[in-house]
Amino acid sequence: SGIVQTLSLPDVEGVQIHMFIQEGSEVRAFTNSNDAIGEVIVKGETLAECECIMQNILSKICLELV
């Protein structure tokens, strides 16, 4: 839980990132879907490909709280 100080998202073709927060937003620890801060949507030929793309994207998202 905290206040979003920094939010940096990668720009990757074919990947949709929708954030429900911005810098300055208050976020809580996730206990239910009302605490979601965003979603990432990927497309691939196989589940394994989608998982690989997702891991790559998640490693490039920077979220710092204070």
Side-chain angles (χ1 to χ4, degrees), residues 6-19:
T6 304
L7 177 60
S8 176
L9 305 172
D11 184 18
V12 179
E13 187 175 333
V15 175
Q16 297 177 43
I17 301 175
H18 304 280
M19 299 303 293

Side-chain angles (χ1 to χ4, degrees), residues 35-48:
D35 297 324
I37 62 171
E39 62 187 9
V40 178
I41 301 170
V42 301
K43 291 183 181 180
E45 295 295 319
T46 65
L47 175 59

Side-chain angles (χ1 to χ4, degrees), residues 31-61:
T31 58
N32 62 58
S33 61
N34 291 329
D35 297 324
I37 62 171
E39 62 187 9
V40 178
I41 301 170
V42 301
K43 291 183 181 180
E45 295 295 319
T46 65
L47 175 59
E49 181 182 1
C50 289
E51 289 173 337
C52 182
I53 294 168
M54 180 64 77
Q55 288 302 319
N56 182 41
I57 295 301
L58 293 177
S59 72
K60 294 179 180 178
I61 293 175

